Amino acid sequence: MEYGKVLRFHRVKQGLTQTQLADGIISPAYLSKIENDQTVPAIEVLELLYERLGLDFQEASYNHPSKEKLKEWYESIVFKRREDAQQLQEELLQQKETLSNHHLYIFFELFRIRHLLLENQVEEAYEVWEDIRQHKDTFDEEMEFYFHLISGILKYYSTNFDESFQELMEAKNYSSSLELEDWEYSDLFYLLALSTSQANHISASVFYADQALEIYQTHYDLAKSADCHIVQGINYSRLKNYAKSLENFHLARKIAIQTEDIVQLRLVHINIGTLESRIENHQSAIKNYEKSLEYNKESDSNFQALDSLTTIHGLIIEYYRLENKEGCLKWLNEGEKILHSFPSKSYELHFAVYKKVINQSENLEQYLEDIIIPYFQEKKEHVYVIRYAMFLADLLENQRMYKKSSTYLRLAIQLLNKHSHLGGILL
Protein backbone atom coordinates (compact mmCIF):
# COMPACT_ATOMS: atom_id res chain seq x y z
CA MET A 1 0.00 0.00 0.00
CA GLU A 2 1.40 3.40 -1.02
CA TYR A 3 0.44 5.30 2.13
CA GLY A 4 2.29 8.44 1.11
CA LYS A 5 0.33 8.91 -2.10
CA VAL A 6 -2.97 8.32 -0.31
CA LEU A 7 -2.10 10.84 2.41
CA ARG A 8 -1.04 13.48 -0.09
CA PHE A 9 -4.16 12.92 -2.20
CA HIS A 10 -6.58 13.38 0.72
CA ARG A 11 -4.59 16.26 2.20
CA VAL A 12 -4.65 18.21 -1.07
CA LYS A 13 -8.29 17.29 -1.68
CA GLN A 14 -9.21 18.72 1.74
CA GLY A 15 -7.13 21.85 1.19
CA LEU A 16 -4.70 21.23 4.06
CA THR A 17 -1.03 22.18 4.11
CA GLN A 18 1.63 19.71 5.29
CA THR A 19 2.04 21.83 8.42
CA GLN A 20 -1.67 21.62 9.23
CA LEU A 21 -1.82 17.86 8.78
CA ALA A 22 1.41 17.18 10.66
CA ASP A 23 0.73 19.58 13.58
CA GLY A 24 1.13 17.78 16.90
CA ILE A 25 1.84 14.41 15.23
CA ILE A 26 5.12 14.69 13.34
CA SER A 27 7.20 17.42 11.70
CA PRO A 28 6.17 18.77 8.28
CA ALA A 29 9.54 17.62 6.94
CA TYR A 30 8.89 14.05 8.05
CA LEU A 31 5.39 14.16 6.53
CA SER A 32 6.97 15.29 3.27
CA LYS A 33 9.20 12.20 3.31
CA ILE A 34 6.17 9.97 3.97
CA GLU A 35 4.20 11.56 1.12
CA ASN A 36 7.13 11.06 -1.25
CA ASP A 37 7.51 7.41 -0.18
CA GLN A 38 11.00 8.09 1.16
CA THR A 39 10.25 6.44 4.50
CA VAL A 40 7.82 4.00 6.08
CA PRO A 41 6.40 5.45 9.32
CA ALA A 42 5.15 3.60 12.36
CA ILE A 43 1.57 2.30 12.20
CA GLU A 44 0.66 4.57 15.12
CA VAL A 45 1.74 7.65 13.14
CA LEU A 46 -0.26 6.57 10.10
CA GLU A 47 -3.35 5.97 12.23
CA LEU A 48 -3.13 9.50 13.66
CA LEU A 49 -2.67 11.07 10.22
CA TYR A 50 -5.56 9.07 8.78
CA GLU A 51 -7.76 10.00 11.74
CA ARG A 52 -7.05 13.71 11.21
CA LEU A 53 -8.11 13.32 7.57
CA GLY A 54 -11.29 11.54 8.64
CA LEU A 55 -10.22 8.23 7.11
CA ASP A 56 -10.53 4.70 8.42
CA PHE A 57 -6.95 3.43 8.44
CA GLN A 58 -7.91 -0.26 8.56
CA GLU A 59 -10.36 0.07 5.71
CA ALA A 60 -8.01 2.19 3.60
CA SER A 61 -5.11 -0.17 4.19
CA TYR A 62 -6.59 -3.60 3.73
CA ASN A 63 -9.79 -3.30 1.75
CA HIS A 64 -9.29 -2.26 -1.89
CA PRO A 65 -12.74 -1.93 -3.50
CA SER A 66 -13.18 -3.50 -6.90
CA LYS A 67 -12.85 -1.36 -9.99
CA GLU A 68 -15.07 -3.66 -12.03
CA LYS A 69 -18.07 -1.33 -12.07
CA LEU A 70 -15.83 1.62 -12.89
CA LYS A 71 -14.41 -0.25 -15.88
CA GLU A 72 -17.92 -1.27 -16.92
CA TRP A 73 -18.90 2.41 -16.80
CA TYR A 74 -15.84 3.41 -18.80
CA GLU A 75 -16.57 0.78 -21.47
CA SER A 76 -20.12 2.11 -21.86
CA ILE A 77 -18.66 5.61 -22.33
CA VAL A 78 -16.13 4.49 -24.95
CA PHE A 79 -18.81 2.67 -26.91
CA LYS A 80 -21.20 5.63 -26.54
CA ARG A 81 -23.95 3.72 -24.74
CA ARG A 82 -25.32 6.87 -23.16
CA GLU A 83 -28.17 5.40 -21.12
CA ASP A 84 -25.96 2.69 -19.63
CA ALA A 85 -23.26 5.24 -18.87
CA GLN A 86 -25.67 7.53 -17.04
CA GLN A 87 -27.16 4.71 -14.99
CA LEU A 88 -23.76 3.31 -14.02
CA GLN A 89 -22.53 6.76 -13.01
CA GLU A 90 -25.50 7.16 -10.68
CA GLU A 91 -24.83 3.74 -9.14
CA LEU A 92 -21.17 4.59 -8.60
CA LEU A 93 -22.03 7.87 -6.90
CA GLN A 94 -24.23 5.99 -4.43
CA GLN A 95 -21.18 4.05 -3.24
CA LYS A 96 -19.28 6.16 -0.70
CA GLU A 97 -15.96 4.51 -1.66
CA THR A 98 -16.16 6.02 -5.13
CA LEU A 99 -15.32 9.49 -3.83
CA SER A 100 -13.51 8.65 -0.58
CA ASN A 101 -11.07 5.99 -1.78
CA HIS A 102 -7.97 7.44 -3.44
CA HIS A 103 -7.75 4.90 -6.25
CA LEU A 104 -11.45 4.84 -7.07
CA TYR A 105 -11.76 8.63 -6.97
CA ILE A 106 -8.90 9.13 -9.45
CA PHE A 107 -10.33 6.61 -11.90
CA PHE A 108 -13.85 7.99 -11.45
CA GLU A 109 -12.76 11.54 -12.25
CA LEU A 110 -10.64 10.51 -15.23
CA PHE A 111 -13.49 8.46 -16.69
CA ARG A 112 -15.94 11.27 -15.89
CA ILE A 113 -13.99 13.61 -18.15
CA ARG A 114 -14.66 11.32 -21.09
CA HIS A 115 -18.30 10.98 -20.05
CA LEU A 116 -18.65 14.78 -20.04
CA LEU A 117 -17.15 14.94 -23.53
CA LEU A 118 -19.62 12.29 -24.69
CA GLU A 119 -22.42 14.54 -23.41
CA ASN A 120 -20.84 17.58 -25.12
CA GLN A 121 -20.06 19.27 -21.78
CA VAL A 122 -16.61 20.30 -22.96
CA GLU A 123 -15.92 23.21 -20.61
CA GLU A 124 -16.79 21.14 -17.53
CA ALA A 125 -14.55 18.34 -18.81
CA TYR A 126 -11.60 20.75 -18.92
CA GLU A 127 -12.41 21.93 -15.38
CA VAL A 128 -12.37 18.35 -14.05
CA TRP A 129 -9.06 17.74 -15.84
CA GLU A 130 -7.52 20.85 -14.27
CA ASP A 131 -8.66 19.66 -10.85
CA ILE A 132 -7.48 16.06 -11.19
CA ARG A 133 -4.03 16.85 -12.53
CA GLN A 134 -3.05 18.45 -9.21
CA HIS A 135 -3.03 14.87 -7.86
CA LYS A 136 -0.77 13.61 -10.66
CA ASP A 137 2.13 12.86 -8.35
CA THR A 138 -0.08 10.31 -6.55
CA PHE A 139 -0.78 8.34 -9.76
CA ASP A 140 0.31 4.76 -10.33
CA GLU A 141 1.09 3.46 -13.85
CA GLU A 142 -2.54 2.59 -14.60
CA MET A 143 -3.67 6.06 -13.60
CA GLU A 144 -0.90 7.56 -15.74
CA PHE A 145 -2.16 5.58 -18.74
CA TYR A 146 -5.70 6.92 -18.45
CA PHE A 147 -4.51 10.44 -17.59
CA HIS A 148 -2.39 10.69 -20.75
CA LEU A 149 -5.12 9.09 -22.88
CA ILE A 150 -7.76 11.53 -21.58
CA SER A 151 -5.30 14.43 -21.96
CA GLY A 152 -4.76 13.37 -25.57
CA ILE A 153 -8.50 13.49 -26.20
CA LEU A 154 -8.78 16.94 -24.63
CA LYS A 155 -5.85 18.22 -26.71
CA TYR A 156 -7.65 16.86 -29.78
CA TYR A 157 -10.82 18.75 -28.82
CA SER A 158 -8.80 21.97 -28.57
CA THR A 159 -7.27 21.24 -32.04
CA ASN A 160 -3.74 20.83 -30.65
CA PHE A 161 -3.25 17.72 -32.74
CA ASP A 162 0.50 17.30 -32.35
CA GLU A 163 0.18 17.62 -28.57
CA SER A 164 -2.73 15.17 -28.69
CA PHE A 165 -0.52 12.68 -30.52
CA GLN A 166 2.27 13.11 -27.95
CA GLU A 167 -0.09 12.54 -25.02
CA LEU A 168 -1.55 9.42 -26.65
CA MET A 169 1.95 8.09 -27.32
CA GLU A 170 2.68 8.53 -23.60
CA ALA A 171 -0.44 6.48 -22.88
CA LYS A 172 0.77 3.84 -25.34
CA ASN A 173 4.11 3.69 -23.50
CA TYR A 174 2.34 3.04 -20.18
CA SER A 175 0.04 0.45 -21.79
CA SER A 176 2.95 -1.94 -22.31
CA SER A 177 3.12 -2.64 -18.56
CA LEU A 178 -0.65 -3.02 -18.10
CA GLU A 179 -3.12 -5.77 -18.84
CA LEU A 180 -5.66 -3.96 -21.01
CA GLU A 181 -8.58 -5.56 -22.80
CA ASP A 182 -8.77 -5.69 -26.59
CA TRP A 183 -11.37 -2.94 -26.74
CA GLU A 184 -9.04 -0.60 -24.85
CA TYR A 185 -6.17 -1.27 -27.24
CA SER A 186 -8.42 -0.70 -30.24
CA ASP A 187 -9.69 2.52 -28.67
CA LEU A 188 -6.10 3.72 -28.14
CA PHE A 189 -5.12 2.84 -31.71
CA TYR A 190 -8.20 4.58 -33.11
CA LEU A 191 -7.47 7.75 -31.11
CA LEU A 192 -3.86 7.63 -32.35
CA ALA A 193 -5.17 7.27 -35.91
CA LEU A 194 -7.36 10.37 -35.45
CA SER A 195 -4.66 12.55 -33.91
CA THR A 196 -1.97 11.56 -36.42
CA SER A 197 -4.36 12.11 -39.32
CA GLN A 198 -5.18 15.62 -38.10
CA ALA A 199 -1.50 16.32 -37.40
CA ASN A 200 -0.77 15.26 -40.99
CA HIS A 201 1.32 12.23 -40.03
CA ILE A 202 -0.57 10.27 -42.64
CA SER A 203 1.51 7.08 -42.78
CA ALA A 204 1.30 6.74 -39.00
CA SER A 205 -2.47 7.27 -39.14
CA VAL A 206 -2.88 4.53 -41.76
CA PHE A 207 -0.86 2.18 -39.52
CA TYR A 208 -2.87 2.86 -36.35
CA ALA A 209 -6.22 2.79 -38.14
CA ASP A 210 -5.34 -0.64 -39.56
CA GLN A 211 -4.42 -1.87 -36.08
CA ALA A 212 -7.70 -0.62 -34.62
CA LEU A 213 -9.72 -1.97 -37.56
CA GLU A 214 -8.21 -5.43 -37.18
CA ILE A 215 -9.41 -5.65 -33.56
CA TYR A 216 -12.84 -4.18 -34.32
CA GLN A 217 -13.40 -6.63 -37.17
CA THR A 218 -12.30 -9.56 -34.99
CA HIS A 219 -15.01 -8.58 -32.50
CA TYR A 220 -17.58 -7.81 -35.25
CA ASP A 221 -17.89 -4.21 -34.08
CA LEU A 222 -19.52 -2.65 -37.14
CA ALA A 223 -19.85 0.91 -35.86
CA LYS A 224 -16.21 1.22 -34.82
CA SER A 225 -15.11 -0.47 -38.06
CA ALA A 226 -17.00 2.23 -40.00
CA ASP A 227 -15.20 4.93 -37.99
CA CYS A 228 -11.87 3.40 -39.02
CA HIS A 229 -12.89 3.24 -42.68
CA ILE A 230 -13.76 6.95 -42.59
CA VAL A 231 -10.33 7.80 -41.16
CA GLN A 232 -8.65 5.59 -43.79
CA GLY A 233 -10.71 7.25 -46.52
CA ILE A 234 -9.45 10.65 -45.42
CA ASN A 235 -5.86 9.38 -45.19
CA TYR A 236 -5.82 7.82 -48.68
CA SER A 237 -7.43 10.94 -50.13
CA ARG A 238 -4.57 13.01 -48.73
CA LEU A 239 -2.13 10.49 -50.20
CA LYS A 240 -3.95 11.02 -53.53
CA ASN A 241 -4.92 7.36 -53.71
CA TYR A 242 -8.48 8.28 -54.59
CA ALA A 243 -9.62 4.79 -55.56
CA LYS A 244 -8.56 3.41 -52.15
CA SER A 245 -10.12 6.42 -50.46
CA LEU A 246 -13.50 5.89 -52.14
CA GLU A 247 -13.35 2.18 -51.35
CA ASN A 248 -13.08 2.98 -47.64
CA PHE A 249 -15.79 5.64 -47.74
CA HIS A 250 -18.19 3.26 -49.49
CA LEU A 251 -17.45 0.52 -46.93
CA ALA A 252 -18.19 3.00 -44.14
CA ARG A 253 -21.38 4.10 -45.90
CA LYS A 254 -22.55 0.50 -46.32
CA ILE A 255 -22.08 -0.17 -42.59
CA ALA A 256 -23.69 3.13 -41.56
CA ILE A 257 -26.80 2.37 -43.66
CA GLN A 258 -27.01 -1.05 -42.01
CA THR A 259 -26.63 0.39 -38.48
CA GLU A 260 -28.68 3.53 -39.29
CA ASP A 261 -25.89 5.78 -38.01
CA ILE A 262 -26.71 9.22 -39.40
CA VAL A 263 -23.57 10.82 -37.95
CA GLN A 264 -21.37 8.42 -39.93
CA LEU A 265 -23.50 8.92 -43.05
CA ARG A 266 -23.07 12.67 -42.69
CA LEU A 267 -19.28 12.33 -42.33
CA VAL A 268 -19.02 9.92 -45.27
CA HIS A 269 -20.76 12.33 -47.65
CA ILE A 270 -18.79 15.35 -46.38
CA ASN A 271 -15.56 13.53 -47.09
CA ILE A 272 -16.64 12.15 -50.47
CA GLY A 273 -17.58 15.74 -51.35
CA THR A 274 -14.09 16.89 -50.35
CA LEU A 275 -12.50 14.12 -52.43
CA GLU A 276 -14.62 15.00 -55.50
CA SER A 277 -13.65 18.63 -55.01
CA ARG A 278 -9.96 17.68 -55.05
CA ILE A 279 -10.32 16.03 -58.45
CA GLU A 280 -12.53 18.89 -59.72
CA ASN A 281 -15.77 16.90 -60.02
CA HIS A 282 -17.72 19.95 -58.91
CA GLN A 283 -21.27 18.70 -59.45
CA SER A 284 -20.52 15.43 -57.64
CA ALA A 285 -18.93 17.40 -54.79
CA ILE A 286 -22.04 19.57 -54.49
CA LYS A 287 -24.32 16.51 -54.58
CA ASN A 288 -22.42 14.84 -51.73
CA TYR A 289 -22.16 18.00 -49.64
CA GLU A 290 -25.91 18.57 -49.94
CA LYS A 291 -26.56 14.89 -49.15
CA SER A 292 -24.55 15.22 -45.93
CA LEU A 293 -26.78 18.09 -44.79
CA GLU A 294 -29.83 15.84 -45.18
CA TYR A 295 -28.50 13.79 -42.26
CA ASN A 296 -28.55 16.73 -39.87
CA LYS A 297 -31.03 16.53 -37.05
CA GLU A 298 -32.24 18.92 -34.36
CA SER A 299 -29.28 19.09 -32.04
CA ASP A 300 -27.25 21.51 -29.97
CA SER A 301 -24.08 19.58 -30.75
CA ASN A 302 -21.01 21.67 -31.51
CA PHE A 303 -19.76 18.82 -33.69
CA GLN A 304 -22.87 18.84 -35.88
CA ALA A 305 -22.64 22.62 -36.22
CA LEU A 306 -18.96 22.34 -37.16
CA ASP A 307 -19.76 19.62 -39.70
CA SER A 308 -22.47 21.85 -41.18
CA LEU A 309 -20.12 24.84 -41.42
CA THR A 310 -17.47 22.66 -43.07
CA THR A 311 -20.03 21.37 -45.57
CA ILE A 312 -21.40 24.83 -46.34
CA HIS A 313 -17.87 26.15 -46.81
CA GLY A 314 -17.31 23.33 -49.30
CA LEU A 315 -20.52 24.22 -51.15
CA ILE A 316 -19.50 27.88 -51.37
CA ILE A 317 -16.14 26.85 -52.85
CA GLU A 318 -17.77 24.63 -55.46
CA TYR A 319 -20.34 27.23 -56.52
CA TYR A 320 -17.59 29.85 -56.69
CA ARG A 321 -15.48 27.61 -58.93
CA LEU A 322 -18.55 27.11 -61.15
CA GLU A 323 -18.95 30.93 -61.23
CA ASN A 324 -22.42 30.55 -59.73
CA LYS A 325 -22.88 33.73 -57.70
CA GLU A 326 -26.44 32.88 -56.68
CA GLY A 327 -25.36 29.52 -55.25
CA CYS A 328 -22.54 31.19 -53.31
CA LEU A 329 -24.86 33.76 -51.75
CA LYS A 330 -27.45 31.13 -50.84
CA TRP A 331 -24.94 29.09 -48.85
CA LEU A 332 -23.25 32.16 -47.37
CA ASN A 333 -26.61 33.09 -45.87
CA GLU A 334 -27.09 29.54 -44.52
CA GLY A 335 -23.61 29.59 -42.99
CA GLU A 336 -24.19 32.93 -41.28
CA LYS A 337 -27.40 31.60 -39.72
CA ILE A 338 -25.42 28.80 -38.06
CA LEU A 339 -22.75 31.24 -36.88
CA HIS A 340 -25.40 33.11 -34.86
CA SER A 341 -25.84 30.04 -32.64
CA PHE A 342 -22.36 28.50 -32.96
CA PRO A 343 -19.75 31.24 -33.42
CA SER A 344 -16.56 30.24 -35.22
CA LYS A 345 -13.88 32.82 -35.99
CA SER A 346 -12.37 30.69 -38.76
CA TYR A 347 -15.64 30.26 -40.67
CA GLU A 348 -16.61 33.86 -40.03
CA LEU A 349 -13.42 34.87 -41.85
CA HIS A 350 -13.90 32.32 -44.65
CA PHE A 351 -17.39 33.64 -45.34
CA ALA A 352 -16.21 37.28 -45.14
CA VAL A 353 -13.62 36.61 -47.86
CA TYR A 354 -16.24 35.20 -50.24
CA LYS A 355 -18.57 38.10 -49.58
CA LYS A 356 -15.79 40.52 -50.50
CA VAL A 357 -14.94 38.50 -53.61
CA ILE A 358 -18.58 38.38 -54.80
CA ASN A 359 -19.13 42.07 -54.03
CA GLN A 360 -15.78 42.95 -55.67
CA SER A 361 -14.64 44.76 -52.55
CA GLU A 362 -11.85 47.28 -53.12
CA ASN A 363 -10.04 46.31 -49.91
CA LEU A 364 -9.96 42.55 -50.62
CA GLU A 365 -6.18 42.39 -51.08
CA GLN A 366 -5.55 44.35 -47.88
CA TYR A 367 -8.01 42.16 -45.98
CA LEU A 368 -6.27 38.99 -47.13
CA GLU A 369 -2.85 40.43 -46.31
CA ASP A 370 -3.62 42.00 -42.91
CA ILE A 371 -6.32 39.73 -41.48
CA ILE A 372 -6.83 36.41 -43.23
CA ILE A 373 -3.34 35.07 -43.90
CA PRO A 374 -1.88 36.14 -40.49
CA TYR A 375 -4.85 34.55 -38.69
CA PHE A 376 -4.45 31.16 -40.36
CA GLN A 377 -0.66 31.34 -39.98
CA GLU A 378 -1.12 31.80 -36.24
CA LYS A 379 -3.60 28.90 -36.16
CA LYS A 380 -1.11 26.79 -38.19
CA GLU A 381 -3.90 25.88 -40.59
CA HIS A 382 -1.51 25.57 -43.51
CA VAL A 383 -4.07 24.53 -46.11
CA TYR A 384 -5.80 27.91 -45.79
CA VAL A 385 -2.55 29.85 -45.73
CA ILE A 386 -1.63 28.12 -49.02
CA ARG A 387 -5.06 28.71 -50.50
CA TYR A 388 -5.34 32.38 -49.61
CA ALA A 389 -1.67 33.14 -50.38
CA MET A 390 -2.06 31.72 -53.90
CA PHE A 391 -5.28 33.65 -54.42
CA LEU A 392 -3.68 36.88 -53.19
CA ALA A 393 -0.65 36.30 -55.42
CA ASP A 394 -2.97 36.08 -58.46
CA LEU A 395 -4.81 39.25 -57.47
CA LEU A 396 -1.55 41.18 -57.03
CA GLU A 397 -0.17 39.86 -60.33
CA ASN A 398 -3.28 41.09 -62.15
CA GLN A 399 -2.54 44.52 -60.70
CA ARG A 400 1.08 44.22 -61.93
CA MET A 401 2.39 44.20 -58.36
CA TYR A 402 4.82 41.45 -59.30
CA LYS A 403 7.27 41.75 -56.43
CA LYS A 404 4.56 41.54 -53.79
CA SER A 405 2.82 38.78 -55.72
CA SER A 406 5.98 36.67 -55.77
CA THR A 407 6.28 37.00 -51.97
CA TYR A 408 2.94 35.28 -51.42
CA LEU A 409 3.56 32.76 -54.18
CA ARG A 410 6.82 31.78 -52.47
CA LEU A 411 4.99 31.44 -49.14
CA ALA A 412 2.46 29.07 -50.73
CA ILE A 413 5.18 27.05 -52.49
CA GLN A 414 7.24 26.71 -49.30
CA LEU A 415 4.25 25.36 -47.41
CA LEU A 416 3.28 23.08 -50.29
CA ASN A 417 6.78 21.61 -50.36
CA LYS A 418 6.60 21.02 -46.62
CA HIS A 419 3.01 19.74 -46.61
CA SER A 420 2.62 18.33 -50.12
CA HIS A 421 -0.54 16.39 -49.22
CA LEU A 422 -2.50 19.57 -48.48
CA GLY A 423 -2.89 20.86 -52.00
CA GLY A 424 -3.42 24.48 -52.92
CA ILE A 425 -6.84 24.73 -54.48
CA LEU A 426 -7.70 28.36 -55.14
CA LEU A 427 -10.53 29.63 -52.96
Side-chain angles (χ1 to χ4, degrees):
M1 180 74 180
E2 296 174 313
Y3 299 108
K5 289 183 177 181
V6 174
L7 285 170
R8 171 170 165 70
F9 165 76
H10 285 286
R11 177 179 63 77
V12 172
K13 190 179 175 187
Q14 295 181 30
L16 298 175
T17 65
Q18 287 182 332
T19 300
Q20 288 171 323
L21 177 56
D23 186 34
I25 302 173
I26 52 175
S27 69
Y30 189 52
L31 175 59
S32 179
K33 286 185 177 182
I34 296 172
E35 289 189 350
N36 290 301
D37 293 319
Q38 294 174 355
T39 186
V40 179
I43 295 296
E44 292 78 12
V45 170
L46 286 171
E47 287 179 336
L48 289 169
L49 293 171
Y50 271 72
E51 183 181 352
R52 179 160 290 173
L53 290 168
L55 305 174
D56 185 327
F57 175 70
Q58 295 299 325
E59 180 179 335
S61 299
Y62 302 113
N63 298 324
H64 192 283
S66 171
K67 295 202 301 288
E68 285 183 13
K69 190 168 285 290
L70 273 167
K71 290 297 288 287
E72 184 185 349
W73 178 45
Y74 183 62
E75 184 177 359
S76 69
I77 295 167
V78 171
F79 286 94
K80 301 179 181 179
R81 299 194 292 264
R82 284 184 165 84
E83 289 184 11
D84 290 346
Q86 188 60 43
Q87 182 179 339
L88 286 164
Q89 183 185 45
E90 290 170 4
E91 290 176 13
L92 285 162
L93 286 171
Q94 290 171 6
Q95 300 175 11
K96 69 169 187 175
E97 294 90 349
T98 300
L99 301 181
S100 63
N101 178 278
H102 166 240
H103 282 71
L104 293 183
Y105 177 81
I106 294 295
F107 287 117
F108 178 82
E109 289 295 273
L110 288 171
F111 297 166
R112 186 161 75 95
I113 293 170
R114 197 157 180 181
H115 191 195
L116 289 166
L117 293 175
L118 176 63
E119 297 300 331
N120 201 37
Q121 298 176 42
V122 180
E123 289 185 12
E124 190 175 346
Y126 278 102
E127 289 172 6
V128 176
W129 181 80
E130 287 286 354
D131 181 66
I132 203 66
R133 71 172 181 161
Q134 70 178 315
H135 302 297
K136 193 173 184 303
D137 56 358
T138 73
F139 289 0
D140 59 23
E141 288 192 342
E142 189 178 9
M143 294 170 185
E144 289 282 4
F145 166 76
Y146 289 111
F147 177 76
H148 286 292
L149 185 133
I150 298 298
S151 297
I153 296 172
L154 287 171
K155 295 291 185 183
Y156 187 92
Y157 269 69
S158 61
T159 71
N160 295 320
F161 301 121
D162 275 310
E163 291 181 25
S164 172
F165 171 48
Q166 294 303 321
E167 289 285 358
L168 291 167
M169 284 302 295
E170 282 292 318
K172 185 173 180 291
N173 291 338
Y174 278 105
S175 72
S176 61
S177 61
L178 303 175
E179 293 183 5
L180 301 177
E181 296 184 51
D182 278 356
W183 65 266
E184 292 191 272
Y185 280 115
S186 56
D187 178 55
L188 174 60
F189 294 145
Y190 175 68
L191 292 171
L192 279 164
L194 282 180
S195 65
T196 48
S197 181
Q198 291 287 3
N200 297 312
H201 307 310
I202 308 303
S203 296
S205 184
V206 169
F207 172 75
Y208 288 122
D210 276 343
Q211 284 193 303
L213 184 58
E214 183 178 347
I215 300 173
Y216 289 138
Q217 288 178 334
T218 300
H219 292 272
Y220 303 101
D221 190 326
L222 293 177
K224 291 290 187 179
S225 295
D227 286 338
C228 288
H229 283 304
I230 291 171
V231 173
Q232 291 295 53
I234 294 168
N235 288 334
Y236 283 115
S237 177
R238 288 174 177 170
L239 293 170
K240 299 183 180 178
N241 187 340
Y242 300 124
K244 190 74 172 175
S245 175
L246 277 172
E247 178 187 334
N248 275 278
F249 286 139
H250 288 312
L251 283 169
R253 180 175 174 273
K254 184 178 179 180
I255 294 171
I257 290 172
Q258 183 178 343
T259 59
E260 299 181 343
D261 191 320
I262 63 172
V263 173
Q264 288 178 338
L265 286 167
R266 185 170 74 238
L267 289 173
V268 165
H269 284 288
I270 290 173
N271 284 291
I272 293 177
T274 302
L275 186 155
E276 297 288 8
S277 176
R278 281 174 178 264
I279 57 180
E280 300 189 29
N281 290 337
H282 307 305
Q283 293 296 346
S284 181
I286 288 170
K287 179 181 176 182
N288 277 283
Y289 283 141
E290 290 180 342
K291 185 70 176 175
S292 76
L293 293 173
E294 291 177 15
Y295 291 107
N296 281 351
K297 62 178 181 178
E298 296 239 351
S299 169
D300 60 355
S301 166
N302 287 327
F303 285 112
Q304 181 171 304
L306 189 59
D307 285 347
S308 296
L309 289 169
T310 301
T311 305
I312 288 169
H313 186 209
L315 283 163
I316 294 166
I317 290 172
E318 295 311 303
Y319 278 109
Y320 173 79
R321 293 168 72 188
L322 290 171
E323 299 181 357
N324 186 327
K325 180 179 177 181
E326 185 178 338
C328 279
L329 289 172
K330 170 190 171 183
W331 289 109
L332 276 168
N333 289 333
E334 291 298 319
E336 288 177 341
K337 288 178 186 176
I338 296 174
L339 287 176
H340 286 309
S341 302
F342 297 91
S344 166
K345 183 67 174 178
S346 294
Y347 285 103
E348 179 186 328
L349 293 177
H350 288 315
F351 297 161
V353 169
Y354 283 98
K355 272 197 165 182
K356 288 181 179 293
V357 170
I358 291 168
N359 295 325
Q360 298 181 325
S361 173
E362 292 182 0
N363 72 337
L364 174 59
E365 294 86 353
Q366 200 71 39
Y367 188 69
L368 288 166
E369 193 172 357
D370 294 347
I371 306 296
I372 299 298
I373 292 174
Y375 174 82
F376 288 108
Q377 282 178 315
E378 184 179 349
K379 296 274 288 183
K380 296 183 180 178
E381 294 188 27
H382 305 300
V383 66
Y384 296 123
V385 178
I386 293 167
R387 188 175 293 178
Y388 289 121
M390 291 178 71
F391 183 64
L392 178 56
D394 282 349
L395 291 175
L396 293 169
E397 184 180 11
N398 290 337
Q399 296 177 21
R400 299 184 179 182
M401 300 174 69
Y402 302 118
K403 185 175 180 180
K404 206 170 187 181
S405 172
S406 66
T407 299
Y408 286 100
L409 187 58
R410 280 197 303 274
L411 171 62
I413 291 170
Q414 286 169 0
L415 287 172
L416 272 171
N417 287 336
K418 189 175 180 182
H419 309 281
S420 59
H421 56 279
L422 294 177
I425 299 169
L426 294 180
L427 279 189

